[in-house]
Amino acid sequence: MTRPGPRFPVGLDRLKPAARSPDTEVLRPQRPLHEAARDAARQQAPSGLGLDSPAVRERMAARLQAEGLRCEPVLRALASVPRHHFVDSALATQAYEDTALPIGHGQTISKPSVVGRMLELLFAGDSARAVGHLGRVLEIGTGCGYQAALLSLLARRVVSIERLRPLHEKACENLAGWREGDLRLLYGDGRAGHAPGAPFDSIIAAAGGEALPDAWTAQLAEGGRLVAPMHDERAGGQVLVVVDKRNGMLHRQQLDGVHFVPLKSGIA
Ligand code: SAH
């Protein structure tokens, strides 16, 4: 894709310190679609309410900080990327609420708090802590491209894969003017990862399957970290899984309960 010029201002303004609040037990990035659709029906077209103002997204980042998000680079990225550019204009007024929104084709853009939590977890990986950025990143599930834009501010190189052609095309459109970082959007089945770009220091999935595809762990670099939702029988639902590769060995942790769209096979 071409990146002709910055469309979005990248204001890295200060974020106010705030008190820590109790950790959220269950994160629901993908609110049930019927609820999102009902909300969509309630919305009116935005009427120049100042959504382009950096103050709107800075307030969202400050709220997430107040709720416990601590990673400064992630907070700055959330305060920089205009989320309302990535959703239908009828939903734009809800873009800075901590809510998932429909992006068409039965998919949703994840809640900002969940996106922030996953990016913060990626940042806590060995190599990201050592170098202060996410390095080479693989994202599975581009959706509307919002998280890909955030990643491009936090990494050296981002490859993002989407299996639904209309969403891949929409993300290309949404990011046509995006000039930050080195971002490639691919159409394909992300379960196979992207061998030509491997190894990846950071791998993040926005859709959850029954198991982690072997390609992802194989394409994870030494010192790298993978964060993905995955079904867990014992938990009776999806959980966030974090995998670190150290000395060639995989170390796995299971964290918060989550609710993401399914990781599907093939392309459509
Ligand atoms: N990060 C996205 C969230 C999109 S929802 C955003 O910021 O908008 C998750 C996405 O994963 C959906 O678009 C879905 O089509 C996609 N997906 C599901 N299985 C996939 C697979 N095997 N390969 C690539 N994308 C997949």
Side-chain angles (χ1 to χ4, degrees), residues 30 103 107-110 115 139-148 161-164 167 188-191 206-207 261-266:
Q30 319 294 353
I103 54 174
Q107 308 301 320
T108 52
I109 181 174
S110 307
V115 172
E139 179 190 44
I140 298 99
T142 315
C144 65
Y146 172 68
Q147 184 171 272
I161 310 178
E162 173 57 53
R163 68 176 285 276
L164 295 178
L167 280 180
D189 183 351
R191 289 180 322 143
V261 294
L263 181 72
K264 294 205 170 155
S265 340

Side-chain angles (χ1 to χ4, degrees), residues 191-253:
R191 289 180 322 143
H194 183 60
F200 295 98
D201 304 297
S202 309
I203 299 181
I204 182 166
E210 294 294 317
L212 292 180
D214 290 340
W216 298 358
T217 45
Q219 292 173 20
L220 190 62
E222 180 60 31
R225 174 169 272 204
L226 178 160
V227 178
M230 210 190 78
H231 185 77
D232 179 66
E233 202 56 56
R234 275 172 309 164
Q238 278 180 349
V239 291
L240 270 188
V241 171
V242 173
V243 177
D244 292 294
K245 194 180 266 187
R246 294 191 189 111
N247 304 317
M249 304 282 287
L250 299 174
H251 300 265
R252 179 171 153 159
Q253 307 168 57

Side-chain angles (χ1 to χ4, degrees), residues 3 14 66 77 79-80 95-96 100 105 136 139 143 152 159 192 214 239 249-250 252:
R3 291 183 244 105
R14 70 279 133 207
S80 301
Y96 297 96
H105 310 278
R136 294 152 296 182
E139 179 190 44
S152 74
V159 175
D214 290 340
V239 291
M249 304 282 287
L250 299 174
R252 179 171 153 159

Side-chain angles (χ1 to χ4, degrees), residues 113-137:
S113 57
V114 173
V115 172
R117 166 81 169 139
M118 290 178 82
L119 295 177
E120 182 170 61
L121 284 168
L122 268 191
F123 246 97
D126 296 345
S127 85
R129 267 190 296 131
V131 299
H133 59 75
L134 298 180
R136 294 152 296 182
V137 177

Side-chain angles (χ1 to χ4, degrees), residues 2 23 53 66 83 98:
T2 54
D23 287 340
S53 161
R83 193 169 182 255
D98 191 21

